[in-house]
């Protein structure tokens, strides 16, 4: 029973820089994941335009019939979003943890270029550990 | 609150408390129609339970594929419902409002009642005049 189905990270301009699938079904190929990421980037921007009050920072949670999509936008414009089971709790906390891992293992990596696809082993490793821990905590409850 | 028919014509718009208006009304309506439309095609594509949909283009039919029923941002919450005839009801509220699906269903039933009633009246007057 996977609570988190997949994770996407998109850069400031809307390009997909990281995609990881944890669920069993619904695996998307590269082209589709790229398209989905760009679509999400545009939707996020449009939702900010449509806000009836000032200070909107874009969609934080999208509720669909079979999944939920939680999004976190950092101050620099990088967006992290997870696709999870409907009603999963504490996804915001998980997103913050992922953001910390991103700053530690990706941004501090001297060989990593900004806005490029992420290819850092330590990031992948720690990310899997964090998601596993989250999954265990949820199942144990 | 916005109400669109299946061709995208805005049938009804009502506001109760809207501090900020960034766009002119036509553009606002267009975006408000387009955003749920694109989000629907996105969720249909990302749907994990069904077999692969073809494209990110147009899964037009109202019942087909996974649809979203709402999203929220830090300043507002948008609830969406599509009826079987293609009619779309969109409600923009404060972010702390709970699940509004029942409210949307209620609005839809009100709409159906009123619409059918007016149509019946029209029908009756036409019959009476014949």
């Amino acid at each position: 029973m996977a609570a988190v189905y997949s994770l996407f990270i998109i850069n400031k301009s809307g390009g997909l820089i990281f995609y990881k699938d944890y669920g069993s079904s619904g695996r998307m190929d590269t082209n589709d994941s790229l398209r989905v990421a760009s679509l999400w980037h545009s939707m996020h921007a449009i939702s900010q335009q449509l806000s009836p009050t000032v200070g909107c920072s874009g969609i934080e949670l999208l509720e669909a019939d079979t999944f939920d999509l939680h999004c976190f936008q950092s101050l620099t414009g990088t967006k992290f979003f997870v696709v999870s089971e409907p009603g999963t709790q504490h996804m915001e906390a998980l997103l913050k943890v992922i953001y910390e891992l991103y700053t530690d293992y990706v941004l501090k990596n001297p060989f990593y270029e900004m806005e490029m696809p992420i290819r850092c082993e330590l990031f992948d490793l720690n990310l899997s550990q964090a998601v596993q821990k989250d999954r265990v905590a949820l199942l144990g409850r | 609150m916005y109400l669109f028919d299946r061709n995208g014509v805005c049938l009804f718009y009502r506001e109760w408390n809207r501090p900020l208006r960034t766009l002119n009304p036509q553009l606002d309506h267009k975006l408000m129609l387009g955003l749920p439309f694109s989000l629907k095609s996105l969720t249909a594509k990302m749907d994990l339970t069904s077999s692969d949909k073809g494209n990110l283009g147009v899964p037009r039919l109202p019942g087909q594929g996974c649809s979203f029923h709402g999203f929220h941002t830090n300043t507002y919450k948008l609830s969406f419902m599509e009826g079987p005839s293609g009619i779309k009801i969109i409600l923009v509220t404060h972010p702390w409002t709970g699940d509004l699906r029942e409210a949307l269903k209620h609005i839809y039933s009100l709409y159906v009642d009123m619409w059918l009633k007016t149509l019946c009246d029209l029908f009756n007057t036409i019959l009476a005049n014949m």
Side-chain angles (χ1 to χ4, degrees), chain A residues 36 39-40 43, chain B residues 38-47 56:
Chain A
V36 162
L39 254 187
W40 181 255
M43 300 291 115
Chain B
S38 315
L39 280 175
K40 233 160 54 81
S41 82
L42 185 75
T43 53
K45 183 68 196 187
M46 285 178 79
D47 186 16
L56 273 172

Side-chain angles (χ1 to χ4, degrees), chain B residues 5-129:
Chain B
D5 77 351
R6 87 184 106 186
N7 293 325
V9 176
C10 183
L11 297 175
F12 184 76
Y13 169 67
R14 177 86 186 277
E15 65 182 57
W16 288 272
N17 174 23
R18 186 175 184 170
L20 175 72
R21 219 160 306 186
T22 47
L23 311 157
N24 70 46
Q26 277 77 33
L27 202 54
D28 190 55
H29 289 334
K30 278 205 193 104
L31 275 185
M32 196 49 91
L33 176 64
L35 185 63
F37 176 79
S38 315
L39 280 175
K40 233 160 54 81
S41 82
L42 185 75
T43 53
K45 183 68 196 187
M46 285 178 79
D47 186 16
L48 307 155
T49 52
S50 74
S51 58
D52 260 3
K53 293 288 176 231
N55 43 8
L56 273 172
V58 193
R60 236 238 78 198
L61 306 170
Q64 189 188 57
C66 166
S67 168
F68 82 105
H69 53 81
F71 69 78
H72 78 81
T73 72
N74 58 333
T75 48
Y76 71 98
K77 181 177 176 132
L78 187 140
S79 309
F80 172 76
M81 188 187 111
E82 183 165 22
S85 60
I87 183 150
K88 303 175 200 8
I89 308 178
I90 298 170
L91 206 58
V92 177
T93 59
H94 192 272
W96 296 339
T97 344
D99 191 7
L100 284 172
R101 275 182 277 188
E102 291 307 317
L104 286 171
K105 281 195 193 131
H106 185 63
I107 296 173
Y108 180 64
S109 64
L110 281 175
Y111 163 78
V112 163
D113 281 339
M114 292 298 123
W115 190 73
L116 281 178
K117 229 175 258 181
T118 23
L119 213 60
C120 284
D121 280 344
L122 204 60
F123 193 59
N124 287 335
T125 46
I126 292 173
L127 276 182
N129 289 339

Side-chain angles (χ1 to χ4, degrees), chain A residues 9-20:
Chain A
I9 305 181
I10 34 188
N11 63 18
K12 277 200 290 281
S13 22
L16 182 69
I17 54 177
F18 188 77
Y19 167 60
K20 190 72 193 295

Side-chain angles (χ1 to χ4, degrees), chain A residues 3 5 63-70 84-89, chain B residues 69:
Chain A
Y5 291 137
E63 291 163 316
D65 300 335
T66 51
F67 65 90
D68 278 354
L69 192 146
H70 299 255
S84 62
E85 260 180 326
T88 328
Q89 307 292 321
Chain B
H69 53 81

Side-chain angles (χ1 to χ4, degrees), chain A residues 37-54:
Chain A
S38 327
L39 254 187
W40 181 255
H41 179 79
S42 325
M43 300 291 115
H44 197 90
I46 295 176
S47 68
Q48 275 179 290
Q49 284 271 307
L50 284 174
S51 166
T53 50
V54 289

